[in-house]
Amino acid sequence: MSKRVACINLPRQKDAAKKADVTQTIIDKNIVPDNLKALFAGKYFYIKTFGCQANIRDEEVMAGYLTLVGMKRTDNQKEADIAIINTCAVRENAEEKVYGEIGTFKCNKERNKNFMLVLAGCVMQEEGIAVDLLQSYPWISLVIGTHDVHNLLNLLSEALRRKQSLINVRSFADEIIENMPSQRLSSYQAYVNISYGCDKFCTYCIVPYTRGRERSRAPEDIINECKKLVDEGYKEITLLGQNVNSYGLDLKNGTTFASLLESVAKLGVPRLKFLTSYPSQFSDDMIEVMAKYDNIEKWLHFPVQSGSTSCLKRMARRYTRDEYLEKVRKIRERMPDIALTTDIIVGFPGETEEEFADTLKLAEEVSYSAAFTFIYSARQGTPAAKMEQVPSEVQHERFDRLKALIDVTTAKHSSTMIGKTFDILVQGPSKRNSEVLSGYATNGKLVNFKGPAYLTGCIVPVKILESHVYSLIGELAEDPLVLKAKDVAFLMSKDPLLKEYLALDENIRSDASIKELGDALVREKKAMGESFMDKDIHEAHKAEYEKVLEAMKNHPLLANRNELMSLVEERLLEVRDYLR
Ligand code: 5AD
Ligand code: SF4
């Protein structure tokens, strides 16, 4: 390794399998190093993320740290002073995209000697990758592992101080970091991590090596984060874990995912969902909680991976085909309208035609409302990579057959929606036509309909008119202006300041001492009016009246209201500007 590069930690796949006895929670202090601030305050950062929601959440956190430095986000790669490529390793094609991406930042470095390129995410957790990258692409300043997102600022600062490129990728982590800043990508949809890592070690999967063993966040930290989002008026929360159903097992205090889900549902967020479920650990309690709360979406992503018991065994999935189908039966018995989606891997090592036929049969039987289908991709260091591989042509041919079947079940599910009205969370104007809005129904389906862009972020009723395989077409079932007004009313009802003001107003109305003062004020005013012929008596009442007035001015509740009033006025002006 040249002097230009310093390795603080390098990944070792063996370390990733180690499980800590206890997980420590560390509260991050959000300290910003001076040298970073001096160089980058007021400058721009750019982040490109590949992969799943865990990576998206990491992007939001890294953006949060860079915002602490005083930096601003840009979508224009060319103007970036710091750029982060946040990589995904789950399949080979995702990994390949990274290499093309790194090259495009060379000119940033040529134009701007202070430019820093950071490589983050799951690919960096693979043995050997980071060192090779730094040798091929000398304009990389930092390679950071998934366990060190909270160390982003320190590491950037250290790289500057040493005038070297740094690699810091740990494979083992026994901690959970709380109080990380975050700049969320949406103001109406939020992801909340409930656990990190995975203990399942499915034989095809690289995630346990790139994200480490499973560590659950404390329920109170999750609930506080969700409560804050509810107070900020978020419309949808997605609870995230590689395997949400094993949430809490490591806390060893009886906390389960079902109990956590119920606590979050009770906070009253309009839409609540979770990713990803592990079929055999999806408990009866989960079915009950899902059925009980209207705000929990009646959509379950239920990855089967294969419909063949023998293939599932080679995948080290801990359920059989029949056990999976039995879970589906139970779920549908309690929630007949639930939409089920899945992940399926085609061409897993050793997959026979009979095994694949079992997958087709299962997909048809469950009749998924949508499915993500993947061609098996060998991941270095995973057990399946050493098994007997299925030829690529066979994989592709099976993939096409499965895809055709999934298209049929997807279309079948979509067609059942025609004529019905669904609540749609609007994502904004569609890319192809600015007059058409796109949004998601609570069953996960994408719906397009004509409407104004100001409905972005609102939940609106849409009647479904037509269905296509991957999307539906509908029409707004209410006047868009009325819907916007309802949305503003919703947001105002969540505003902590307005809530405080209304609560205070309620206290003032029921406060006996204020009522007494009010009565005295009316009494003295009346007495003043009646005594204007007698100067002395009139003056006495006037003095009394003024005394009461003064007492009212000094009453703590009333004084508090006056103070809040000016803030409320400011907030109402913000609402006016929002509506303009
Ligand atoms: N090859 C293909 N697909 C994979 N997945 C995970 N690992 C692999 C792999 N090596 C799929 C699984 C998982 C989804 C997120 O990605 O179906 O559920
Ligand atoms: Fe990977 Fe299996 Fe864990 Fe999912 S449950 S992240 S597929 S190891």
Side-chain angles (χ1 to χ4, degrees):
M1 180 71 38
S2 76
K3 278 201 192 121
R4 211 176 34 75
V5 178
C7 300
I8 300 178
N9 285 294
L10 282 177
R12 282 183 2 133
Q13 209 170 31
K14 265 198 219 120
D15 291 346
K18 285 185 198 154
K19 176 105 178 161
D21 292 336
V22 269
T23 305
Q24 335 164 31
T25 298
I26 297 171
I27 313 290
D28 188 67
K29 295 201 178 75
N30 290 199
I31 293 168
V32 182
D34 288 339
N35 59 347
L36 267 192
K37 216 189 236 165
L39 205 54
F40 291 113
K43 300 268 168 71
Y44 289 96
F45 69 86
Y46 170 92
I47 307 181
K48 171 107 185 177
T49 290
F50 296 91
C52 67
Q53 288 81 2
N55 265 16
I56 296 177
R57 189 66 196 119
D58 282 351
E59 165 174 346
E60 293 181 335
V61 169
M62 290 190 283
Y65 279 108
L66 294 174
T67 311
L68 290 182
V69 178
M71 297 189 78
K72 291 171 281 188
R73 177 190 280 277
T74 177
D75 292 330
N76 178 359
Q77 173 174 334
K78 290 200 185 89
E79 71 177 0
D81 297 279
I82 292 182
I84 302 177
I85 307 175
N86 196 12
T87 62
C88 167
V90 79
R91 282 171 295 275
E92 199 175 358
N93 54 0
E95 212 176 285
E96 278 163 359
K97 284 188 200 149
V98 173
Y99 300 105
E101 202 66 32
I102 302 171
T104 66
F105 286 96
K106 190 177 179 197
C107 45
N108 286 59
K109 190 75 194 173
E110 284 164 357
R111 265 198 312 270
N112 173 0
K113 71 173 177 26
N114 292 329
F115 171 74
M116 295 182 92
L117 177 62
V118 181
L119 272 117
C122 290
V123 176
M124 301 308 123
Q125 297 291 135
E126 293 180 59
E127 276 183 25
I129 296 256
V131 173
D132 282 357
L133 280 179
L134 275 165
Q135 260 149 17
S136 313
Y137 307 96
W139 56 93
I140 297 173
S141 302
L142 173 65
V143 174
I144 185 173
T146 55
H147 301 306
D148 280 285
V149 162
H150 64 289
N151 272 327
L152 175 67
L153 300 187
N154 277 336
L155 290 166
L156 283 169
S157 157
E158 188 64 8
L160 279 177
R161 202 180 57 74
R162 296 193 194 189
K163 297 192 174 63
Q164 278 179 310
S165 297
L166 293 189
I167 300 175
N168 185 39
V169 182
R170 289 183 290 149
S171 289
F172 173 72
D174 61 352
E175 73 269 12
I176 277 193
I177 315 292
E178 292 295 344
N179 196 37
M180 292 190 284
S182 97
Q183 190 192 48
R184 292 191 185 268
L185 291 166
S186 162
S187 57
Y188 50 89
Q189 268 177 320
Y191 294 118
V192 173
N193 288 317
I194 65 166
S195 58
Y196 301 97
C198 183
D199 276 357
K200 282 286 177 281
F201 290 93
C202 302
T203 54
Y204 51 82
C205 187
I206 200 159
V207 169
Y209 308 100
T210 62
R211 294 256 162 202
R213 300 293 295 261
E214 189 171 286
R215 289 145 288 146
S216 301
R217 287 178 73 193
E220 51 282 11
D221 291 325
I222 298 166
I223 291 166
N224 285 340
E225 184 175 338
C226 292
K227 189 166 180 325
K228 208 164 150 256
L229 292 165
V230 172
D231 288 344
E232 287 169 15
Y234 272 81
K235 308 285 169 40
E236 184 178 87
I237 291 177
T238 306
L239 301 178
L240 286 184
Q242 300 298 339
N243 169 10
V244 288
N245 305 109
S246 61
Y247 168 78
L249 291 180
D250 55 332
L251 298 174
K252 300 187 180 101
N253 60 6
T255 308
T256 63
F257 182 53
S259 64
L260 176 79
L261 186 67
E262 177 154 32
S263 306
V264 177
K266 280 184 182 160
L267 298 175
V269 64
R271 290 158 74 133
L272 176 60
K273 56 185 191 181
F274 49 86
L275 285 171
T276 299
S277 296
Y278 191 87
S280 55
Q281 283 183 305
F282 191 87
S283 65
D284 291 352
D285 287 350
M286 274 299 300
I287 300 180
E288 284 316 306
V289 173
M290 276 188 89
K292 187 169 159 194
Y293 291 90
D294 283 344
N295 57 346
I296 302 181
E297 297 191 0
K298 298 301 171 281
W299 163 37
L300 179 62
H301 187 58
F302 213 48
V304 66
Q305 311 297 359
S306 165
S308 147
T309 297
S310 47
C311 194
L312 286 168
K313 200 161 176 207
R314 290 199 303 283
M315 289 176 162
R317 299 287 287 183
R318 300 168 201 192
Y319 51 88
T320 62
R321 169 197 175 87
D322 288 346
E323 283 160 358
Y324 180 89
L325 287 172
E326 177 56 17
K327 288 272 176 196
V328 168
R329 192 194 59 72
K330 267 192 176 171
I331 293 164
R332 286 211 165 123
E333 185 178 67
R334 188 75 175 83
M335 293 173 282
D337 288 333
I338 196 161
L340 291 177
T341 58
T342 200
D343 289 344
I344 298 175
I345 297 176
V346 178
F348 180 78
E351 185 189 63
T352 62
E353 185 54 35
E354 292 72 45
E355 287 177 332
F356 177 64
D358 275 347
T359 299
L360 287 177
K361 266 190 272 158
L362 180 134
E364 195 172 14
E365 192 174 330
V366 178
S367 195
Y368 293 106
S369 67
F372 297 98
T373 48
F374 308 103
I375 289 178
Y376 168 74
S377 161
R379 306 287 59 214
Q380 214 190 347
T382 60
K386 295 183 211 99
M387 297 178 189
E388 189 199 327
Q389 305 294 307
V390 173
S392 166
E393 326 77 77
V394 178
Q395 286 182 319
H396 281 87
E397 187 270 330
R398 287 181 189 163
F399 180 81
D400 291 344
R401 272 195 280 160
L402 177 65
K403 191 96 187 50
L405 172 69
I406 295 294
D407 283 355
V408 172
T409 66
T410 302
K412 196 166 128 201
H413 179 270
S414 295
S415 67
T416 63
M417 293 170 70
I418 295 175
K420 296 181 192 145
T421 298
F422 289 83
D423 280 342
I424 307 297
L425 177 52
V426 183
Q427 304 290 308
S430 88
K431 283 192 188 99
R432 284 202 219 131
N433 180 351
S434 62
E435 283 174 19
V436 171
L437 299 178
S438 298
Y440 288 97
T442 47
N443 60 13
K445 289 267 157 133
L446 182 69
V447 178
N448 294 317
F449 55 98
K450 275 204 173 133
Y454 63 68
L455 288 181
T456 304
C458 300
I459 294 176
V460 300
V462 173
K463 186 174 173 193
I464 307 300
L465 303 175
E466 274 176 52
S467 87
H468 298 269
V469 177
Y470 299 113
S471 67
L472 294 117
I473 295 176
E475 65 182 6
L476 268 178
E478 244 183 276
D479 183 323
L481 273 174
V482 173
L483 289 168
K484 184 69 185 177
K486 283 185 184 169
D487 189 65
V488 173
F490 168 83
L491 291 175
M492 287 173 81
S493 76
K494 297 285 169 194
D495 187 299
L497 177 70
L498 297 181
K499 267 197 200 154
E500 190 185 340
Y501 181 78
L502 291 176
L504 184 65
D505 199 60
E506 196 58 40
N507 283 347
I508 289 173
R509 281 172 208 276
S510 56
D511 188 278
S513 66
I514 293 178
K515 185 166 184 327
E516 243 168 59
L517 286 172
D519 290 347
L521 202 71
V522 173
R523 201 174 52 240
E524 293 308 324
K525 194 165 185 190
K526 192 168 166 229
M528 271 161 67
E530 285 167 357
S531 62
F532 71 97
M533 300 291 282
D534 186 326
K535 192 165 172 268
D536 287 348
I537 297 177
H538 181 78
E539 284 301 320
H541 283 304
K542 192 173 167 205
E544 197 52 38
Y545 176 80
E546 274 161 11
K547 224 168 91 191
V548 178
L549 213 55
E550 190 61 21
M552 282 183 107
K553 219 167 86 190
N554 293 328
H555 192 288
L557 285 182
L558 295 171
N560 204 353
R561 181 169 66 179
N562 286 343
E563 224 169 84
L564 271 183
M565 195 61 200
S566 58
L567 294 174
V568 168
E569 272 170 20
E570 270 175 37
R571 189 55 48 91
L572 291 177
L573 288 175
E574 279 172 29
V575 172
R576 189 193 62 185
D577 291 344
Y578 172 72
L579 285 175
R580 269 190 177 158

